[in-house]
Amino acid sequence: AVNGSGGGRYAVVFDPLDGSRNIECSIPTGTIFGIYCVPGGAGGEEAALQAGSQLVASGYALYSSATMVVATLGGGRAAAFTLDATTGDFLATHPTLRVPPRGQIYSLNDARYWDWPEGLQRYIDDVRQGRGQNPKQYSARYVCSLVADLHRTIVYGGWCGNPRSHLRLVYEAAPLAFLVEHAGGSASDGVRRILDIKPTALHQRLPLFLGSRDDIAELCSYGDVQQTGKQKYDV
């Protein structure tokens, strides 16, 4: 967190380089941002500790085969802009971006399956075998760069996330949830709507599931999908 000179109308939260562990192997990375109006009398970190429903804009930059900015100003609309390297301009390549209501892809670290709660295991077992609400068998796609996994999810449908309390509410979960909802998708921690959660600390962490509206609803209907243990993984 960086405190400005004070007196500004907006508070900006951001993750400057999501997926930074992937830089060495040239996997896509990104930047996540969110913008709040500063409440009267608020300053410093307090201005950023608002529920995601109070955001006025959010989005991400994706650094991949193309450089893109995907953003929303609310109002049930989102758009994507792609950098034209020859002119330096960002072109509105996707002026109306919508998350499909259902997909056929889930995205999380399958290697942790045996540490997952029973509800999440049952859900994954069902959709892998075509026993879920969608009769098609789901595929797993996992980059371990949240912006990259989310961008694919927005384009193709399905969902991405992490069942552990790993992702930061203020500058990862809330800004992405605001974008996803205004693009027609859903965002949950497995129990609560992300945008309803008011943070109590700047670096507060929580589970996060983002993606197609019907897929997120089906996942959460299994009940026990949050991994609440204290497992630590060496990477």
Side-chain angles (χ1 to χ4, degrees):
V2 178
N3 289 329
S5 58
R9 295 175 54 195
Y10 298 100
V12 180
V13 297
F14 62 95
D15 178 354
L17 193 58
D18 171 68
S20 57
R21 287 179 177 173
N22 292 323
I23 288 176
E24 189 173 6
C25 56
S26 299
I27 286 176
T29 56
T31 298
I32 302 167
F33 68 90
I35 302 173
Y36 292 95
C37 289
V38 176
E45 292 185 10
E46 182 186 359
L49 297 179
Q50 303 183 55
S53 58
Q54 300 304 305
L55 283 157
V56 295
S58 74
Y60 59 81
L62 172 67
Y63 316 121
S64 183
S65 57
T67 299
M68 302 183 71
V69 173
V70 181
T72 181
L73 298 176
R77 297 187 64 185
F81 305 84
T82 303
L83 176 65
D84 182 341
T86 63
T87 65
D89 297 323
F90 279 89
L91 307 180
T93 50
H94 303 77
T96 302
L97 198 62
R98 304 300 294 172
V99 182
R102 184 177 288 280
Q104 200 178 339
I105 298 170
Y106 70 88
S107 180
L108 78 171
N109 190 347
D110 267 348
R112 311 303 185 208
Y113 177 90
W114 301 111
D115 293 329
W116 292 345
E118 186 266 343
L120 182 57
Q121 288 180 335
R122 281 194 299 110
Y123 168 82
I124 294 296
D125 289 342
D126 285 348
V127 298
R128 279 174 176 168
Q129 299 174 69
R131 299 195 312 236
Q133 294 175 10
N134 183 349
K136 296 181 179 179
Q137 291 178 295
Y138 278 46
S139 297
R141 300 284 186 272
Y142 183 60
V143 178
C144 195
S145 174
L146 181 57
V147 166
D149 282 318
L150 177 59
H151 189 72
R152 183 198 55 249
T153 299
I154 290 174
V155 174
Y156 295 136
W159 63 271
C160 64
N162 192 323
R164 294 191 297 136
S165 291
H166 178 71
L167 295 162
R168 285 83 166 184
L169 173 59
V170 172
Y171 47 90
E172 293 177 312
L176 295 181
F178 188 75
L179 170 65
V180 166
E181 284 206 5
H182 284 284
S186 293
S188 173
D189 70 350
V191 177
R192 300 168 294 176
R193 175 179 178 245
I194 293 294
L195 295 183
D196 290 337
I197 304 171
K198 187 178 187 301
T200 57
L202 189 63
H203 303 294
Q204 180 177 339
R205 296 173 184 255
L206 78 174
L208 177 63
F209 304 98
L210 298 159
S212 295
R213 181 182 63 250
D214 294 347
D215 283 312
I216 295 297
E218 181 180 5
L219 168 68
C220 294
S221 74
Y222 280 70
D224 185 16
V225 298
Q226 293 181 328
Q227 183 181 335
T228 56
K230 300 294 183 181
Q231 296 93 342
K232 292 187 177 180
Y233 304 107
D234 293 327
V235 293

